[in-house]
């Protein structure tokens, strides 16, 4: 984990943010202020200058997915770029789906609880004796309903997720092979050591 | 699938408490009247005590509307939250998540407006700006470099391959091997155990590879290596391949082709049938039960070279055991399953879930009685195993009638010690050689 000095942190985030929306490729010497590659998260997070790896963040509040800040190497090959874009796009797509899914779930759950309690309020019954809560059995109706309502959505999501996952992993394999090939074949000034994604 | 009793509940609690604590701390830092310099003192998380936690909770409740740089929308019905069937901390967390005001990082469409908001914030006072930075610094501390350190690799791979579950699978295979008639061949035994272990590691790794976004959304599984980015999908698949190929090869050529075929079939069943089926139909539970039943059968075939009645009996015992184990576990995870889109009996057919669990608890008694009839054990076995079988059946019955979290947890935790004990009793009551015909010739 990077130990970031507070004094530097004051300046770097504003600069990062300033560049975040520009979408332009920054000059290599400005290592830290690389473009925020649209992880959909405007956190202003910038990895340290010396880092040449991706960075992964804490789970998002809505989607529970961890955003990845992708490293853009200086001599990015077309294949590497394709992989990065694929991962970026999948990340955004996943983020959208799960954020929406979780928010919808919470909203519908609250509505369900409210409506059930209202119904109960009109027709008081001797409940569990505790304060008015919905027990697990009543919530189970909601869970069943929610699952069946979203079944088709999940089917499409599963299919797409499996396709993307395979595509990304396959592309990662190709990139790894490409790097190994680049390292092995006699090529002058190939000094950059990169770890596989 | 099997989780140890301690980690299940502790993981659930840690997840909620941890998230809550971090957010409350951030809010506390914003409200405090510290000076510009003060703000950059990092608060160490190690000294968080229960008192601190309670203090932060109180602060959150009282200062709900007085945030500096966050537009908090007053929740219209705060009354609703106590009615959530969660702990108070869980309620707080639910409210927190509802009211996240800063540009939601979720939607890329809102990124532009989010950026504008952030720029507006910067144009505000320095104190606000530095508070913002302090918040972000705290957040940024949670960003981790995705660099693989070799000393972390064994731990990461152990978690990827669900090493505890693998150990359980190997122990059931060993039990199957030991229970099979014929002289005990140590080299064959070790090869079988190793091969099965490798096959199980491979299957578990592929399972985690497929399920990253789903695992992220469930408390039980959100700390898995792929979810946390500790390992890349490519490496996970490579590891799985490097386990599966030697594992199956070892079983096929080191033991016998039947065992190898069973191993390969089980990997296929788990990764290509069970894992996708979890999101399509409740039939996944039955498929998963078969997956759990195959390892002891493999142990038996490794020792005898053939599929006998004894092999099927052992498989049957493991098959039946899966239902009280898994159905009880899934009872407490209904919310996560529903939200994540998993088709589980506990969500879609709750009555069936409990009925099946009870049914198979009773089946265990019947199968234990069949063991001596099939020449696997002596008649002592049904007698000595009756207490534990009756006890788990009793808990299964309580689960069937009460259908609450308490009974489901009791049944689940019982299943965790019931199986090892049953296997041990099977081994101690194994029919001695020469008493009754051996089922087949042992093959090394």
């Amino acid at each position: 984990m990077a130990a970031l000095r507070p004094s530097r942190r004051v300046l770097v985030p504003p600069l990062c943010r300033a560049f975040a929306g520009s979408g332009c490729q920054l000059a290599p010497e400005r290592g830290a202020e690389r473009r925020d590659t649209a992880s959909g998260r405007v956190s202003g997070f910038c990895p340290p200058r010396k880092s040449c790896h991706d960075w992964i963040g804490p789970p998002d509040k809505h989607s529970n997915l961890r955003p990845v800040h992708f490293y853009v190497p200086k001599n990015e090959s077309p294949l590497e770029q394709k992989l990065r874009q694929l991962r970026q796009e999948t990340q955004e797509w996943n983020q959208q789906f799960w954020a929406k899914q979780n928010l919808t779930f919470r909203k519908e759950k609250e509505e369900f609880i409210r409506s059930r309690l209202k119904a109960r309020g009109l027709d008081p019954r001797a409940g569990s004796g505790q304060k008015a809560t919905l027990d697990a059995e009543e919530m189970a109706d909601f869970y069943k309903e929610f699952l069946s309502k979203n079944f088709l959505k999940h089917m499409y999501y599963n299919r797409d997720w499996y396709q993307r996952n395979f595509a990304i992993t396959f592309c990662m394999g190709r990139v790894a092979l490409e790097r190994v090939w680049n390292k092995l074949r006699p090529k002058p000034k190939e000094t950059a050591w990169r770890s596989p994604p | 699938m099997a989780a140890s009793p301690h980690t299940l509940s502790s993981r659930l609690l840690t997840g909620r408490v941890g998230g809550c604590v971090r957010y409350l701390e951030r809010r506390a830092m914003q409200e405090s009247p510290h000076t510009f310099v003060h703000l950059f003192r990092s608060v160490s998380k190690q000294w968080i005590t229960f008192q601190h936690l309670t203090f932060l909770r109180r602060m959150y409740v009282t200062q709900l509307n007085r945030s500096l740089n966050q537009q908090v929308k007053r929740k219209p019905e705060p009354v609703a939250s106590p009615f959530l069937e969660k702990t108070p901390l869980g309620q707080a967390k639910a409210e927190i998540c509802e009211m996240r005001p800063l540009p939601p990082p979720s939607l890329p469409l809102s990124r532009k407006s989010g950026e504008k908001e952030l720029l507006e914030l910067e144009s505000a006072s320095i104190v606000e700006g530095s508070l913002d930075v302090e918040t972000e610094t705290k957040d940024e501390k949670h960003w981790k470099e995705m660099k693989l350190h070799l000393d972390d690799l064994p731990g990461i791979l152990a978690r990827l391959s669900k090493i505890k579950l693998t150990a359980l699978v190997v122990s059931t295979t060993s039990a199957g091997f030991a229970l099979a008639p014929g002289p005990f061949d140590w080299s064959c035994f070790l090869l079988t155990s190793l091969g099965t272990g490798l096959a199980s590691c491979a299957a578990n790794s592929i399972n985690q590879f497929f399920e990253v976004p789903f695992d992220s959304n469930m408390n039980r599984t959100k700390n898995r290596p792929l979810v946390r980015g500790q390992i890349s999908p490519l490496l996970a698949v490579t590891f799985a391949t490097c386990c599966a190929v030697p594992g199956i090869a070892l079983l096929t050529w080191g033991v016998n082709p039947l065992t190898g075929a069973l191993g390969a079939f089980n990997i296929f069943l788990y990764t290509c049938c069970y894992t996708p089926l979890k999101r399509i139909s409740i039939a996944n539970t039955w498929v998963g039960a078969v997956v759990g039943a195959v390892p002891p059968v493999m142990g038996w075939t490794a020792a005898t070279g053939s599929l006998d009645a004894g092999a099927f009996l052992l498989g049957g015992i493991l098959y039946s055991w899966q239902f009280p184990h898994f159905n009880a576990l899934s009872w407490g995870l209904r919310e996560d399953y529903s939200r994540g889109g998993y088709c589980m009996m506990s969500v879609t057919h709750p009555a069936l879930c409990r009925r099946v669990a009870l049914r198979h608890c009773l089946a265990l008694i019947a199968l234990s009685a069949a063991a001596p009839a099939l020449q696997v054990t002596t008649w002592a076995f049904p007698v000595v195993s009756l207490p534990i079988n009756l006890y788990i059946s009793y808990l299964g019955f309580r689960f069937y009638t009460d259908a609450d979290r308490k009974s489901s947890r009791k049944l689940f935790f019982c299943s965790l010690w019931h199986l090892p004990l049953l296997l041990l009793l099977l081994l101690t009551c194994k029919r001695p050689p020469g008493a009754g015909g051996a089922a087949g010739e042992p093959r090394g």
Side-chain angles (χ1 to χ4, degrees):
Chain A
M1 200 148 70
L4 303 162
R5 291 181 298 283
S7 50
R8 196 165 73 92
R9 298 310 300 161
V10 183
L11 296 171
V12 169
L15 282 171
C16 273
R17 281 184 217 127
F19 283 108
S22 65
C24 61
Q25 181 90 34
L26 299 168
E29 54 270 14
R30 307 200 121 229
E33 289 91 56
R34 43 189 81 85
R35 62 182 152 137
D36 187 342
T37 49
S39 60
R41 178 188 172 90
V42 195
S43 67
F45 171 77
C46 289
R49 283 174 192 276
K50 292 197 201 93
S51 169
C52 54
H53 295 98
D54 300 334
W55 283 70
I56 189 163
D60 179 71
K61 285 279 187 297
H62 297 290
S63 69
N64 297 315
L65 301 174
R66 291 174 183 255
V68 175
H69 189 288
F70 295 103
Y71 165 69
V72 187
K74 284 177 279 213
N75 318 316
E76 193 182 41
S77 72
L79 200 57
E80 284 173 342
Q81 188 184 30
K82 182 182 167 206
L83 173 65
R84 184 174 48 80
Q85 284 166 348
L86 196 57
R87 290 173 76 192
Q88 184 66 59
E89 199 206 344
T90 301
Q91 185 171 277
E92 286 169 11
W93 169 79
N94 254 332
Q95 174 69 27
Q96 253 188 333
F97 178 86
W98 285 105
K100 192 170 160 202
Q101 177 76 3
N102 291 336
L103 282 171
T104 310
F105 182 82
R106 277 187 204 112
K107 211 171 58 171
E108 291 190 12
K109 186 178 174 180
E110 291 279 349
E111 276 171 33
F112 176 83
I113 291 169
R114 231 173 273 139
S115 67
R116 279 286 172 104
L117 286 169
K118 214 187 271 185
R120 261 222 211 137
L122 292 169
D123 182 27
R125 280 189 300 164
S128 53
Q130 297 166 355
K131 58 182 184 291
T133 57
L134 284 186
D135 66 12
E137 292 326 299
E138 287 160 311
M139 290 311 301
D141 292 337
F142 166 71
Y143 297 143
K144 182 175 173 177
E145 189 193 320
F146 187 84
L147 188 64
S148 52
K149 215 167 36 165
N150 289 274
F151 181 75
L152 214 54
K153 205 200 298 185
H154 278 295
M155 285 303 105
Y156 292 133
Y157 173 80
N158 296 342
R159 185 199 57 195
D160 291 343
W161 161 248
Y162 271 66
Q163 280 172 357
R164 283 172 187 267
N165 200 21
F166 279 127
I168 288 173
T169 310
F170 185 69
C171 202
M172 277 181 174
R174 286 177 66 191
V175 166
L177 285 172
E178 186 192 59
R179 285 181 184 163
V180 165
W181 172 247
N182 285 339
K183 233 182 269 184
L184 287 177
R185 71 176 178 180
K187 193 182 175 189
K189 304 214 177 182
E190 181 62 21
T191 53
W193 175 83
R194 295 192 200 110
S195 64
Chain B
M1 218 158 75
S4 72
H6 177 66
T7 51
L8 177 69
S9 44
S10 66
R11 242 185 255 157
L12 285 169
L13 199 55
T14 308
R16 288 202 183 112
V17 170
C20 185
V21 162
R22 275 193 291 278
Y23 183 88
L24 291 172
E25 263 203 309
R26 211 166 68 224
R27 296 295 299 277
M29 296 312 283
Q30 290 154 17
E31 313 307 331
S32 61
H34 288 310
T35 60
F36 189 87
V37 175
H38 243 250
L39 291 165
F40 296 106
R41 288 216 193 112
S42 61
V43 177
S44 165
K45 284 185 174 54
Q46 276 85 25
W47 52 266
I48 287 177
T49 61
F50 180 75
Q51 285 78 18
H52 187 225
L53 181 61
T54 319
F55 164 69
L56 289 171
R57 273 172 64 193
R58 258 187 257 123
M59 276 194 73
Y60 163 75
V61 168
T62 56
Q63 296 181 24
L64 199 58
N65 289 330
R66 286 191 266 126
S67 80
L68 278 175
N69 60 349
Q70 292 181 356
Q71 301 139 27
V72 177
K73 255 188 0 201
R74 186 98 174 104
K75 202 163 154 54
E77 292 246 7
V79 163
S81 53
F83 303 134
L84 291 175
E85 39 137 12
K86 280 183 192 172
T87 64
L89 281 171
Q91 292 162 23
K93 186 162 193 265
E95 285 189 45
I96 288 163
C97 296
E98 289 283 357
M99 294 192 295
R100 175 152 176 94
L102 263 181
S106 50
L107 307 164
L109 299 168
S110 66
R111 197 174 132 237
K112 285 252 178 292
S113 54
E115 283 170 353
K116 273 201 207 109
E117 272 180 82
L118 274 169
L119 288 169
E120 280 166 30
L121 285 171
E122 283 173 64
S123 63
S125 71
I126 284 182
V127 177
E128 280 192 10
S130 37
L131 277 173
D132 197 13
V133 167
E134 178 65 23
T135 310
E136 306 251 335
T137 310
K138 283 226 157 322
D139 222 14
E140 278 151 3
K141 269 189 191 162
H142 296 123
W143 284 75
K144 287 189 164 60
E145 193 174 17
M146 290 175 82
K147 183 179 178 182
L148 189 63
H149 298 278
L150 283 174
D151 12 330
D152 295 335
L153 195 62
I156 291 171
L157 292 179
R159 282 196 300 279
L160 183 71
S161 57
K162 298 191 213 171
I163 200 78
K164 289 179 194 165
L165 178 63
T166 298
L168 183 65
V169 166
V170 169
S171 65
T172 60
T173 308
S174 312
F177 189 96
L179 273 164
F184 190 89
D185 183 353
W186 270 103
S187 59
C188 185
F189 173 74
L190 289 169
L191 288 173
T192 309
S193 302
L194 185 62
T196 309
L198 288 170
S200 173
C201 287
N204 289 327
S205 305
I206 297 290
N207 170 267
Q208 290 197 22
F209 164 73
F210 282 153
E211 305 238 291
V212 177
F214 315 120
D215 284 345
S216 311
N217 275 282
M218 289 183 58
N219 279 319
R220 191 174 67 95
T221 52
K222 64 187 180 186
N223 288 316
R224 287 184 170 172
L226 282 168
V227 172
R228 291 169 72 180
Q230 292 172 317
I231 198 175
S232 76
L234 179 68
L235 203 52
V237 171
T238 311
F239 172 71
T241 314
C242 291
C243 285
V245 170
I248 300 301
L250 206 58
L251 290 173
T252 309
W253 286 292
V255 183
N256 59 54
L258 178 59
T259 313
L262 284 171
F265 170 70
N266 216 25
I267 294 178
F268 167 76
L269 201 62
Y270 186 60
T271 57
C272 302
C273 299
Y274 171 71
T275 302
L277 212 52
K278 275 163 81 174
R279 308 185 57 77
I280 298 174
S281 150
I282 59 170
N284 71 78
T285 311
W286 283 267
V287 172
V290 174
V291 172
V294 168
V297 175
M298 284 168 66
W300 185 283
T301 59
T304 64
S306 57
L307 279 170
D308 317 309
F312 287 111
L313 175 81
L314 279 179
I317 288 177
L318 261 293
Y319 177 82
S320 284
W321 175 84
Q322 305 289 331
F323 290 98
H325 173 76
F326 182 70
N327 285 4
L329 171 68
S330 68
W331 198 256
L333 301 172
R334 284 183 285 180
E335 179 169 353
D336 280 351
Y337 284 146
S338 170
R339 189 166 47 87
Y342 282 109
C343 294
M344 299 296 175
M345 268 193 278
S346 58
V347 181
T348 59
H349 298 80
L352 177 70
C353 178
R354 298 183 333 263
R355 212 163 49 232
V356 164
L358 176 61
R359 198 190 294 165
H360 283 273
C361 287
L362 297 169
L364 283 171
I365 301 178
L367 286 166
S368 299
L374 292 172
Q375 314 284 333
V376 180
T377 65
T378 60
W379 283 100
F381 175 67
V383 175
V384 295
S385 64
L386 196 61
I388 57 171
N389 285 338
L390 279 177
Y391 183 63
I392 199 173
S393 301
Y394 165 71
L395 290 179
F397 181 71
R398 291 303 303 266
F399 177 49
Y400 177 70
T401 51
D402 298 350
D404 59 3
R405 195 170 166 78
K406 186 174 163 207
S407 55
S408 72
R409 281 167 70 88
K410 281 183 97 165
L411 180 60
F412 172 71
F413 289 130
C414 174
S415 74
L416 291 177
W417 59 255
H418 175 271
L419 180 67
L421 200 50
L422 192 69
L423 291 175
L424 199 62
L425 288 173
L426 271 167
L427 286 169
T428 52
C429 297
K430 178 184 173 183
R431 189 170 287 268
E441 292 302 311
R443 279 175 53 184

